């Protein structure tokens, strides 16, 4: 099976990442802390690889498309940084959960609230990429250049984005 031939199809990777996060939240909802922690850690690693690949490979090509309102490279990197910061706080909060604490269930609810903020930012960011970044790259890169960049991007991200329960 051949890989994607355009950047717009990379939206599927965003869905895979979202699924990884949902698997973490399902474990957290079931009060299975070891699994919730492991899944969040796996998600964080996958997201970090994805963001780093975007910054190293895709965003440097965006200026070739000219100025796009709402899609400056520094806007994407700023959102990436904010996502990393929020996710680190979520990880710290999940790691600090203590099932024997009297307010454990409330602490889990606070984690879900914090994760909701992260998910809102992540969703908004993914929409921005799928609306502006990916179509812009498809528009300015020739077929061979596009295939090579897609292959390089996938090589850096693929191993860590497959959802596993």
């Amino acid at each position: 099976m051949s890989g994607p031939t355009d950047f717009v199809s990379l939206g599927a990777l965003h869905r895979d990442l979202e699924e990884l996060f949902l698997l973490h939240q399902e474990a957290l909802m079931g009060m299975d802390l070891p699994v919730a922690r492991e899944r969040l850690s796996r998600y964080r690693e996958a997201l970090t690889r994805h963001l780093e690949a975007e910054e190293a490979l895709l965003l440097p090509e965006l200026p070739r498309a000219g100025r796009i309102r709402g899609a400056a490279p520094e806007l994407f990197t700023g959102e990436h940084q904010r996502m990393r910061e929020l996710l680190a706080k979520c990880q710290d909060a999940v790691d600090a959960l203590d099932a024997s604490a009297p307010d454990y269930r409330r602490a889990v609810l606070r984690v879900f609230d914090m994760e909701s903020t992260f998910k809102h930012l992540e969703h908004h960011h993914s929409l921005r990429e799928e609306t502006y970044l990916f179509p812009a790259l498809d528009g300015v890169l020739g077929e061979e250049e596009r295939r090579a960049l897609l292959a390089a991007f996938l090589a850096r991200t693929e191993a860590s984005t497959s959802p596993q329960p």
Side-chain angles (χ1 to χ4, degrees), residues 97-142:
L97 288 171
D98 177 0
S100 65
D103 69 339
Y104 171 62
R105 294 172 70 81
R106 295 264 173 111
V108 169
L109 288 174
R110 286 190 293 274
V111 169
F112 276 118
D113 288 344
M114 184 183 304
E115 289 182 348
S116 177
T117 301
F118 168 78
K119 284 172 62 174
H120 179 74
L121 174 59
E122 185 280 328
H123 177 73
H124 178 78
H125 176 75
S126 292
L127 282 176
R128 183 187 310 280
E129 288 181 347
E130 293 170 29
T131 302
Y132 300 112
L133 175 62
F134 297 160
L137 293 175
D138 283 334
V140 297
L141 299 174

Side-chain angles (χ1 to χ4, degrees), residues 45-92:
E45 290 170 13
L47 182 67
T48 297
R49 288 173 57 117
H50 183 90
L51 299 178
E52 288 172 352
E54 286 179 353
E55 291 172 1
L57 300 171
L58 305 187
L59 290 176
E61 301 298 330
L62 185 57
R64 291 171 61 180
R67 287 185 53 95
I68 302 170
R69 185 181 168 121
E74 54 275 2
L75 180 60
F76 289 108
T77 56
E79 287 176 345
H80 287 178
Q81 183 58 36
R82 182 67 178 137
M83 288 166 61
R84 287 182 183 105
E85 292 167 1
L86 282 172
L87 191 54
K89 288 179 182 180
C90 291
Q91 182 85 60
D92 289 345

Side-chain angles (χ1 to χ4, degrees), residues 7 32 41 46 49 65 75 83 94-95 102 121 128 136 143 150:
F7 286 96
D32 188 343
S41 180
R49 288 173 57 117
L75 180 60
M83 288 166 61
V94 169
D95 290 346
L121 174 59
R128 183 187 310 280
E143 184 177 340
L150 279 165

